[in-house]
Amino acid sequence: MATGWVWSERYMWHDAGTAGGPLPVSRWVEPMTHIEGPDAKRRFANLVAASGLLERLTVLAPRPATVAELTRVHRRSYVDEIARQAAAGGGNLGGGTPFGEFSYEIALLAAGGTITAVEAVVGGTVENAYALVRPPGHHATPEHGRGFCLFNNIAVAARHAQATLGVGRIAIVDWDVHHGNGTQDTFWDDPSVLAVSIHQDGVYPPRSGPVTDTGAHGTIVNVPLPAGSGDGAYRAAFADVVEPALDRFAPDLILVACGFDANGFDPLARQMLSSESFRWMTGRVKAAAERHCEGRLVLTHEGGYSPFAVPFCGLAVVEELSGVRTEVEDPFLPIVENYGGRLLPHQAEAIARAQRNDTSWASSS
Ligand SMILES: [Zn+2]
């Protein structure tokens, strides 16, 4: 069975307007194109097509999420407010999250695209799937968007799978370099969803995602890594925290909040992963899905702001998902490999702290 591929040119038309990098324009911050622009994502999709990989995937056309589907996660008043502001010509959630007149309907298509991928995987038409959606979602809480996120795509898709597809236990692995605070908030009280976030310590939202945030039932697991962490730290974090948590929880479906902003070229964080690191992590979650849930695995796109590095990281992920290796070699790989990236003692200490605070075993069945 093939790998599903969700993509729409419409995603690229979400208008995040102008900003000063990740911050709003202010008196001394000159306006420029918002850093959460279409370039990195469109170039990822283009490389998947140009490499020939697209022809080996099953293309899945996204549909918009309904308001009823969104309100399994979000407050109705919040959804209505986004719709109202968009209809008035566009709005701004504050904190550098402006959106355009058509961004509401495109955000519905992003949440719906993640649902489309989940339906195809659970329904058995594809083995696993990648949803290249935009805007991203993991910072959006039930009542508020921030961090370039309007609706929490992965949380909406998880709730949909439980409500309508007969899926019980869902594990969410978030390897975007920023904390998956919106996903954590959504599932804080819910022992049926394991939410694991591996992120750069305290970078965004500021101070969010400490190891001591474990949720009401121990099913929230945070792995904050120091700035400068590379392949070695991520491999250790997977071996010591992420994979043991997945194995204890034994999910019926694994979802990944797949950001590429932990790559060594990203302007919004300071981690050092390469395309090979992302290929490796994908292989590990794929193996976990094979151990626990007949391979049912969906990745949905979050951040990643290097327009030249994201396409190669993304291609590696989709190659690993599909088991198809193209002739493409990542020309940036030797540069990142020169950064180093071995596990250092202070990183090992941070991982040990996360391991000690991981109480997800308490909810394992
Ligand atoms: Zn991010």
Side-chain angles (χ1 to χ4, degrees):
M1 252 195 309
T3 289
W5 175 249
V6 174
W7 155 260
S8 167
E9 174 62 26
R10 287 288 285 159
Y11 292 138
M12 303 298 97
W13 297 19
H14 159 52
D15 183 4
T18 56
L23 294 177
V25 171
S26 56
R27 176 169 291 145
W28 303 113
V29 176
E30 183 181 343
M32 56 180 274
T33 302
H34 198 290
I35 200 159
E36 200 290 294
D39 284 0
K41 287 101 180 167
R42 181 180 269 134
R43 289 166 60 100
F44 173 13
N46 286 345
L47 186 59
V48 166
S51 66
L53 182 56
L54 182 61
E55 291 149 32
R56 309 285 296 274
L57 305 176
T58 297
V59 172
L60 303 168
R63 65 164 173 89
T66 65
V67 170
E69 287 165 348
L70 289 184
T71 54
R72 290 195 188 107
V73 170
H74 295 286
R75 290 211 182 133
R76 178 65 196 248
S77 57
Y78 171 66
V79 175
D80 289 346
E81 179 61 18
I82 299 284
R84 189 193 65 75
Q85 288 186 28
N92 197 326
L93 295 169
T97 310
F99 57 93
E101 182 176 353
F102 304 101
S103 293
Y104 172 69
E105 61 184 63
I106 297 171
L108 295 182
L109 198 62
T114 308
I115 287 175
T116 299
V118 166
E119 285 178 337
V121 167
V122 174
T125 52
V126 295
E127 183 179 356
N128 51 43
Y130 194 98
L132 207 183
V133 302
R134 179 172 176 263
H138 73 149
H139 293 309
T141 67
E143 53 281 316
H144 199 63
R146 65 184 297 171
F148 323 151
C149 301
L150 303 186
F151 302 126
N152 196 314
N153 306 318
I154 202 165
V156 169
R159 286 274 187 252
H160 178 77
Q162 290 182 320
T164 69
L165 304 177
V167 178
R169 298 162 70 80
I170 297 179
I172 297 176
V173 177
D174 185 327
W175 65 51
D176 186 281
V177 81
H178 305 105
H179 178 229
N181 64 294
T183 313
Q184 170 172 307
D185 282 11
T186 303
F187 298 113
W188 184 267
D189 294 322
D190 185 348
S192 71
V193 176
L194 172 73
V196 182
S197 178
I198 176 168
H199 47 268
Q200 184 177 321
D201 193 356
V203 72
Y204 189 87
R207 295 172 296 285
S208 186
V211 289
T212 46
D213 280 5
T214 56
H217 305 279
T219 42
I220 303 292
V221 178
N222 283 304
V223 191
L225 294 175
S229 294
D231 206 63
Y234 274 77
R235 283 177 188 247
F238 263 70
D240 293 349
V241 186
V242 178
E243 293 175 286
L246 289 174
D247 287 341
R248 282 191 302 266
F249 188 77
D252 302 316
L253 170 68
I254 299 179
L255 307 179
V256 175
C258 181
F260 292 105
D261 35 15
N263 89 70
F265 295 99
D266 200 275
L268 293 193
R270 283 298 173 269
Q271 304 298 45
M272 309 202 298
L273 296 188
S274 70
S275 54
E276 287 305 310
S277 318
F278 286 101
R279 187 191 305 279
W280 181 85
M281 292 196 293
T282 304
R284 301 310 294 187
V285 290
K286 190 179 175 187
E290 280 159 8
R291 282 198 298 283
H292 295 294
C293 44
E294 288 121 37
R296 287 195 289 269
L297 172 65
V298 172
L299 280 66
T300 186
H301 199 93
E302 298 284 353
Y305 306 97
S306 167
F308 56 88
V310 165
F312 292 94
C313 296
L315 184 74
V317 163
V318 183
E319 283 182 342
E320 186 67 24
L321 276 181
S322 62
V324 177
R325 195 70 185 248
T326 70
E327 67 180 71
V328 175
E329 289 183 25
D330 176 3
F332 303 104
L333 185 59
I335 302 174
V336 186
E337 284 177 339
N338 280 337
Y339 287 7
R342 284 218 199 116
L343 179 65
L344 298 177
H346 70 296
Q347 298 162 353
E349 277 172 35
I351 293 162
R353 273 197 297 279
Q355 196 177 25
R356 280 197 298 277
N357 277 274
D358 173 11
T359 54
S360 64
W361 53 270
S363 295
S364 60
S365 57

